[in-house]
Every structure is written in structure tokens, then in C-alpha cells.
Amino acid sequence: MNERERIYNVLEGKAVDRAPTGFWLHFPESMHHGDAAIRAHLKFMEETGTDILKVMNENLLYDGESRILSTADLDKMRGYTRRDKIFVDQMDIIKRICDQTQGRYPVLATIHGLIASVFHGTGFAGNYNTMGYGLSVFNREQPQKMKRVFEMYTDTLLELVDCSLEAGADGIFYAALGGESKWFFHDEYMEYVSVHEQRLYQHIKEKTRFNVLHICKSDIDFERFTVLDPAVVNWSIFHNNMSLTEGARLFPNSIILGGFQDRQGVLVDGTEAEIEAHTKKILKEMEGRPFIVGADCTLPTEIAPERVHSVVRAVERLQGSDQVH
């Protein structure tokens, strides 16, 4: 069974030879674009032996010059289309990766979610942990202006989804921010953000059955995302005190992806025996459920590919040729 068959069998509820695996990371900045990006993705897949090829997206939705410091600056924010260079560059990466892999891997295109994309548009990407609260403040001060911004970025992301699939991607990896309880209140999020996010995610599901909802950060109000009913869901089990099985109950129709910490813990600094022991633990926890072995989020850029390959080998040793459902 090859990588594509393994993933699609899981999506369709069919038997697989072993649990699939899916890990990814941000490549060094010198490998964000062009030929270097293509080579980096292909090398990672060959060296790790994982099943899902996730095309990273470093083409952020930002005009390169605006700084949104207050609600007075919100009119500077703009939408984007397939004619913009950031779209063209990202589609070129997806198409060339798909052309070179010739259908071997199921390819996921990364779409930064609505809150993430709006925050990128403020010009402060990389500072979300300290400045992300600003979007909730803007929304309380100028709800009508923010409604326009959210609608504009939703339309942009709808087109980005379509372009990514047209370029050859099989599915969409939707990286969601905004679930943090400390910033948007639940009712605020549902009224001002989720209404657009639901429209966007429904479009994704209509376009492809291979859709992955990644819920980023800690202190998450998961009810903001259960309404999206994704095919596959992934979150930080270690930073949110919600186990794989608890998440499976919260998302009863979704395949769970995860099991390993991303930036510390056994995958980052454990021995091969410890990696195998942890793999065995999570496979046992998810026994009888459709499951994809992965991590909470992106792995450290500098992690040795051999560590990820150790997880793949552990799954193969533990499950062998047995049929897993």
C-alpha cells in the first residue's frame, strides 16, 4: 500500500496496512521559494518516509508595507486574488511539487486560517503571541470595519483554496488561530469570526474530502471549531490538556491526527527506544479508531529527519502487515 492509498483508505473508512503518519516543519528561509522550496519538500519526504506531503505556505497575505496599529489604519487592508504575486508564487510551488511526485503522495496545501491571515495583513507576522489580541480589540472598537475586513479575507481565502486545488493539491490544511479564550470571547468569535469561517470551511469540504483542521495555540475554546466538522483534526494535546481520546469524543466524525509534542519531548530529544514506546502508547490509545500519527504542530526546523523516520519505522514494526481499521 503506498502513501496515497493509505491516506485515502483512512478517509474512506477502509482497512490500511498500518496507521498513516504526517509530520511537517518550516524550512529555512532560504528554502521558502522557488527551486529551493521544491527540493526541500521532496527531500523531507524521502528522508522521513511520512505519508502526507504538506506544502508549506510562506507566501503570506500581506502587501509588504502597511502597518495596522489602530482601527484608523483598517482601511489600508486589502484582499488578494490569483493575479497577485503571492498567489502566483504559491501556486507555482504546489504545481511543481505535484508534477514531480506524480501522484505518489496525497498533497495538502496549507491555508492560513481567517484570523491568521487577517493578522498577517497587519504587518506583524511572527508577533502573534504578543500582539494577536489586537484583532479582538479592533473588533470591539469598530465591529463594522472588522466585518468588512473579515469578509474581504474570507473571499481571498476562498479563491486561494480554489487555486491551490487547481494547481494540483489533493486537499487543504486549514491552520486556525483565534481559539484562545483569553482574547475573543466565545460569543464574539461565533458572531464576528465563525460565521465567515464556517462559510470558508464548508467550501473546503465541498471541494475536497481531504481536509485537515489544525487548531493552533493553547487555552483553546474548542467549541469554536467543532461546528466545522472537519474530516481530520489536529491540536496541541500537550498544551490544552485534552487527550487524543477526549478530542475524538469532541470531534466524533473526524479522524484524529497527532500524538507527539512538536517542540520538546520524546520526538525532539528522546532515544529511538523511547520514540517507539511512545508510538506504541498512542497507537494503543487510539486502537479501533481511524488515526494518523503526527505532532501537535510544526516540528523544529533543525530537527533531524531521522527522528521522524524513527516514528514511521516504529509504526511499521508495531503494526506490521496487520490490517488496521
Side-chain angles (χ1 to χ4, degrees):
M1 183 170 286
N2 66 24
E3 295 88 349
R4 174 177 292 274
E5 292 168 336
R6 193 171 291 121
I7 286 295
Y8 275 92
N9 272 26
V10 168
L11 289 171
E12 296 167 7
K14 298 177 181 177
V16 290
D17 56 345
R18 63 164 174 81
T21 59
F23 294 89
W24 27 82
L25 50 76
H26 290 284
F27 299 108
E29 190 172 352
S30 61
M31 302 175 184
H32 283 184
H33 306 285
D35 292 343
I38 313 302
R39 289 193 298 268
H41 282 83
L42 300 182
K43 183 179 179 184
F44 179 81
M45 296 303 294
E46 289 298 330
E47 292 182 342
T48 62
T50 52
D51 293 298
I52 300 171
L53 198 168
K54 176 179 179 288
V55 181
M56 305 303 288
N57 184 357
E58 311 297 352
N59 285 296
L60 305 185
L61 298 174
Y62 177 52
D63 65 12
E65 53 188 48
S66 299
R67 290 290 188 272
I68 311 302
L69 294 167
S70 72
T71 54
D73 298 321
L74 288 175
D75 290 336
K76 297 178 184 177
M77 299 190 82
R78 53 160 289 201
Y80 300 86
T81 73
R82 63 181 68 226
R83 293 186 294 275
D84 285 287
K85 186 177 185 301
I86 48 181
F87 265 53
V88 173
D89 287 354
Q90 187 64 18
M91 297 317 107
D92 179 64
I93 291 172
I94 294 172
K95 184 179 186 306
R96 290 172 63 192
I97 286 174
C98 291
D99 287 347
Q100 292 196 36
T101 56
Q102 298 182 329
R104 172 180 173 182
Y105 302 110
V107 175
L108 278 177
T110 301
I111 300 290
H112 300 292
L114 182 55
I115 288 292
S117 294
V118 171
F119 186 74
H120 292 160
T122 67
F124 294 99
N127 296 286
Y128 182 79
N129 287 337
T130 56
M131 298 180 66
Y133 72 92
L135 297 186
S136 59
V137 174
F138 293 166
N139 196 69
R140 289 165 199 159
E141 292 179 350
Q142 291 285 348
Q144 289 306 309
K145 279 192 174 184
M146 285 301 292
K147 179 184 179 188
R148 181 191 69 83
V149 170
F150 287 136
E151 289 175 344
M152 181 171 61
Y153 271 81
T154 298
D155 289 341
T156 291
L157 293 172
L158 287 167
E159 186 160 6
L160 185 56
V161 166
D162 290 348
C163 287
S164 298
L165 297 174
E166 289 168 16
D170 298 288
I172 298 296
F173 182 97
Y174 183 87
L177 292 174
E180 306 90 339
S181 301
K182 62 184 178 181
W183 290 342
F184 279 95
F185 299 129
H186 177 83
D187 289 346
E188 282 180 323
Y189 190 90
M190 299 309 291
E191 180 178 355
Y192 293 103
V193 182
S194 181
V195 62
H196 304 294
E197 198 158 56
Q198 289 179 55
R199 178 166 72 97
L200 174 57
Y201 209 88
Q202 182 59 36
H203 180 78
I204 292 171
K205 291 195 294 184
E206 289 172 356
K207 291 287 185 174
T208 174
R209 57 186 168 176
F210 189 20
N211 59 87
V212 179
L213 170 64
H214 167 62
I215 305 169
C216 204
K217 304 302 180 184
S218 58
D219 186 34
I220 295 298
D221 171 10
F222 284 93
E223 290 185 13
R224 301 180 188 186
F225 301 109
T226 53
V227 67
L228 301 181
D229 193 26
V232 182
V233 64
N234 167 244
W235 71 94
S236 175
I237 62 175
F238 293 93
H239 291 147
N240 286 287
N241 194 31
M242 189 170 78
S243 69
L244 295 170
T245 46
E246 288 169 336
R249 286 192 290 270
L250 194 61
F251 292 88
N253 302 319
S254 302
I255 297 162
I256 305 302
L257 187 158
F260 281 88
Q261 283 182 278
D262 52 345
R263 298 305 172 105
Q264 59 186 11
V266 64
L267 183 56
V268 175
D269 53 28
T271 65
E272 185 159 356
E274 289 170 332
I275 289 173
E276 178 157 345
H278 187 77
T279 304
K280 183 176 182 179
K281 174 179 175 289
I282 62 176
L283 289 174
K284 180 66 175 177
E285 181 180 357
M286 296 302 287
E287 191 173 8
R289 301 173 186 266
F291 179 51
I292 301 172
V293 179
D296 285 353
C297 196
T298 51
L299 300 175
T301 296
E302 66 278 4
I303 194 171
E306 174 62 21
R307 288 195 161 273
V308 180
H309 197 196
S310 292
V311 179
V312 179
R313 291 198 305 269
V315 175
E316 291 172 343
R317 284 193 296 267
L318 291 164
Q319 296 190 325
S321 59
D322 294 339
Q323 295 291 292
V324 182
H325 296 273

